[in-house]
Amino acid sequence: MSKRKAVIVGVADAPLKDGMIPGGASPLAVQARCAKDALAEAGLTLKDVDGLLVAGMWGNPGPGMLPTVTLSEYLGIRPRFSDGTNIGGSAFELHVGHAALAIEQGLCDVALITYGSTQKSEKSRNLAGRPAVLTMQYETPWGMPTPVGGYALAARRHMHEYGTTPEQLASVAVATRKWAQLNPAATMRAPLTVEDVLKSTAIADPLHLLDCCLVTDGGGAIVMTNEERARDLKAKPVHILGFGEGQTHWTIAAMPDLARLTAAEEAGKRAFAMAGVKHKDIDVAEFYDSFTITALLTLEALGFCERGEGGAFFASGRTAPGGDFPLNTNGGGLSCLHPGMYGIFLLIEAVRQLRGECGDRQVKDAKIALCHGTGGTLSSGATCILAKD
Amino acid sequence: MYEKPLPIIDPDSAPYWSATQQHKLVIPRCLDCGKHHFYPRALCPHCHSDKLEWTEISGRGTVYSYIVANRPAGPAFKADIPYVVAVIDLAEGPRMMSNIVIDDPSKVKIGDAVQVCFEDVTPEITLPKFKLV
Ligand SMILES: [Zn+2]
């Protein structure tokens, strides 16, 4: 069997103004435009696409229940490989892994991964909890604010076990804002201090409003093909060294350990083993930061520091611009954008860093990047380790 | 009228909710590995046996973690803020999400001992909640 290595040859994201798609658009239109842009970057068109991977929250109940089928129809394509796996915001790191497998096996030659959301424009974000059916009948009746409540439970437990402080958690948001200030496309760019975070409402104590990600629209697309085909394309390929996925629970009471992100531990180990690289080889990291605690738990779970040391790591400023561990260089979900499922933007930023396109926020000599997505309520994780050509 | 979301009872959960109506906490225990589990499932999540029996448990536990909601989970909870949502380590092993019924949420700590209490919210539904002991 011929082993053809998969590479990323195009990325695109939807420009936002004040966190919204200017002029408005449906989530399908957002994805179509991003797909066209990402393909154009590679020197390809929709006619070349024979693999489609989609995850989103749009059109449910309705056409979003069969997202790859709906999007194929909308785009006028007939993929021979598709994957609509939804494990939450981490789905896109999983999609890169699954697309790589399909490309290596020759199940498709050009894979398109898309995401679109217009939640801010539609004002459709709702914290009223999930319908109390099946497993949710044991959660929703107690008024748990979702999704922040589950993350706040984890933050409280981490504070209890390791002495992590609200100030240390706030320092995650502060470091991330400093990156956003270097990114003209970021939604929130005003200066932010630890005091600002602690003064904001403790909406789900111990987490404050400014410990939470933004609520924005957003769209993105990623195009992958095999190395051989990439040679004839205009874009510089980004290589996929390794990937891994894991999942542990959906109801937060079933999380194996609230102070430990087991899904990330498992996904990360698998990705590092496949990539054959070490932690010190990672030049730039992009972690899902739905909340400050998410990034902290991910740092520990992936093994960049010991468990319990994440708070001090962030408070030292190592993740901020100029630090030795550049993290969330676009400004993250906390300050750049967060349309509900953020994982595709981790990959887009990593690819741009590896191609050296990031202007003021460019990490010097970035050769290897790690992206880790977290989905659900600390439920699932997927890791991709990428390398420049 | 009770306006908060109510559990949608299904065949798997009917025995559990019918027991809470009687102010009893009844959850499955596995006859093969001996462990309790919650929420109720068709197979034991520890050993995957289907030999399960409904067992009344003590209602005792400790606070594993908790939050104080200062922003409500929807308008129906607005009058309750600040309120405590907690994950309880039940004495028998499983974890359960619930509320801690308390006037001053700042009194709650991780590790506090708690005991179940029952709130009859509608004629059909009784919710188990917990109080510090
Ligand atoms: Zn068992």
Side-chain angles (χ1 to χ4, degrees):
Chain A
M1 198 178 301
S2 71
K3 280 275 180 185
R4 302 182 302 166
K5 285 277 185 198
V7 290
I8 295 173
V9 289
V11 295
D13 55 354
L16 300 180
K17 188 163 181 344
D18 304 323
M20 288 186 277
I21 307 282
S26 78
L28 296 173
V30 173
Q31 290 175 86
R33 287 177 196 150
C34 290
K36 193 171 167 120
D37 288 349
L39 286 159
E41 193 179 80
L44 294 164
T45 72
L46 275 163
K47 287 195 166 50
D48 297 303
V49 174
D50 60 355
L52 182 64
L53 302 94
V54 186
M57 310 278 271
W58 45 268
N60 266 306
M65 293 163 68
L66 305 179
T68 57
V69 176
T70 294
L71 208 69
S72 295
E73 175 192 282
Y74 187 91
L75 295 172
I77 62 173
R78 289 202 193 162
R80 59 191 174 111
F81 172 81
S82 68
D83 188 342
T85 306
N86 194 341
I87 57 166
S90 49
F92 310 95
E93 283 69 33
L94 172 147
H95 284 175
V96 165
H98 292 193
L101 293 174
I103 287 165
E104 285 176 11
Q105 295 301 319
L107 296 176
C108 65
D109 289 325
V110 175
L112 171 67
I113 302 170
T114 70
Y115 171 69
S117 162
T118 52
Q119 64 167 16
K120 184 174 173 68
S121 299
E122 293 167 8
K123 298 183 172 58
S124 61
R125 187 85 177 166
N126 112 54
L127 296 170
R130 306 176 174 103
V133 299
L134 300 176
T135 61
M136 290 298 131
Q137 67 188 292
Y138 311 104
E139 267 198 3
T140 306
W142 286 272
M144 181 64 131
T146 55
V148 62
Y151 289 83
L153 285 170
R156 174 91 64 194
R157 188 71 201 179
H158 202 274
M159 290 171 170
H160 174 77
E161 289 193 19
Y162 300 114
T164 302
T165 65
E167 288 79 6
Q168 289 173 336
L169 282 177
S171 71
V172 178
V174 169
T176 312
R177 179 63 58 87
K178 287 180 181 157
W179 283 110
Q181 290 180 301
L182 301 177
N183 179 7
T187 300
M188 296 293 282
R189 303 185 70 206
L192 182 73
T193 65
V194 166
E195 293 69 41
D196 292 334
V197 178
L198 299 182
K199 271 190 300 189
S200 66
T201 309
I203 54 171
D205 193 346
L207 289 183
H208 302 80
L209 188 61
L210 293 177
D211 283 301
C212 305
C213 64
L214 308 176
V215 175
T216 68
D217 296 348
I222 296 173
V223 179
M224 292 170 60
T225 188
N226 60 65
E227 274 180 343
E228 196 181 292
R229 180 119 183 226
R231 263 185 238 127
D232 304 328
L233 299 177
K234 61 180 185 180
K236 263 199 189 138
V238 165
H239 301 267
I240 295 142
L241 301 184
F243 50 86
E245 60 187 78
Q247 50 188 308
T248 51
H249 66 280
W250 182 210
T251 58
I252 193 69
M255 184 163 174
D257 183 337
L258 275 174
R260 186 170 177 180
L261 191 47
T262 307
E265 287 180 19
E266 294 179 354
K269 258 188 209 123
R270 288 163 189 154
F272 271 109
M274 189 188 293
V277 300
K278 299 199 163 53
H279 287 74
K280 64 173 174 47
D281 299 325
I282 305 297
D283 299 310
V284 54
E286 311 292 343
F287 295 168
Y288 207 107
D289 58 345
S290 44
F291 301 92
T292 51
I293 184 68
T294 320
L296 189 153
L297 288 173
T298 303
L299 184 80
E300 295 182 0
L302 293 178
F304 288 102
C305 66
E306 294 297 316
R307 269 191 284 144
E309 289 179 356
F313 192 108
F314 277 101
S316 73
R318 291 176 64 184
T319 67
D324 69 339
F325 192 83
L327 176 71
N328 295 352
T329 49
N330 61 343
L334 289 165
S335 285
C336 186
L337 82 167
H338 197 294
M341 293 172 67
Y342 173 70
I344 199 166
F345 304 100
L346 303 169
L347 294 155
I348 292 169
E349 173 69 6
V351 166
R352 289 175 175 161
Q353 285 285 348
L354 293 173
R355 296 196 308 211
E357 299 169 352
C358 289
D360 291 345
R361 69 181 193 282
Q362 178 64 46
V363 174
K364 203 162 164 276
D365 297 328
K367 292 186 184 68
I368 300 184
L370 182 146
C371 300
H372 181 83
T374 290
T377 311
L378 300 164
S379 310
S380 70
T383 310
C384 291
I385 300 175
L386 309 176
K388 74 180 281 188
D389 195 34
Chain B
M1 199 189 129
Y2 189 79
E3 286 179 346
K4 294 170 190 165
L6 290 166
I8 310 296
I9 299 173
D10 58 48
D12 292 354
S13 66
Y16 172 74
W17 292 114
S18 108
T20 62
Q21 266 193 314
Q22 311 301 314
H23 290 201
K24 288 179 178 160
L25 217 44
V26 172
I27 68 172
R29 191 180 76 92
C30 175
L31 294 173
D32 277 326
C33 74
K35 289 181 181 163
H36 293 80
H37 72 262
F38 187 78
Y39 51 88
R41 297 157 165 91
L43 302 178
C44 168
H46 307 291
C47 77
H48 311 123
S49 167
D50 61 359
K51 295 192 193 69
L52 305 170
E53 70 174 1
W54 291 96
T55 316
E56 183 171 359
I57 58 169
S58 64
R60 289 195 307 273
T62 54
V63 176
Y64 176 54
S65 193
Y66 68 97
I67 67 150
V68 181
N70 289 309
R71 192 163 83 181
F77 289 95
K78 198 169 175 195
D80 295 350
I81 55 169
Y83 60 92
V84 179
V85 186
V87 176
I88 306 299
D89 272 329
L90 296 170
E92 290 78 7
R95 290 193 176 132
M96 178 182 282
M97 180 181 285
S98 188
N99 294 128
I100 294 178
V101 183
I102 193 164
D103 290 331
D104 179 4
S106 72
K107 292 209 163 74
V108 179
K109 292 187 310 299
I110 285 180
D112 282 352
V114 292
Q115 175 71 42
V116 74
C117 57
F118 292 93
E119 194 176 318
D120 302 316
V121 298
T122 69
E124 296 78 30
I125 298 287
T126 298
L127 296 178
K129 299 192 173 182
F130 288 81
K131 283 184 173 164
L132 300 188
V133 292

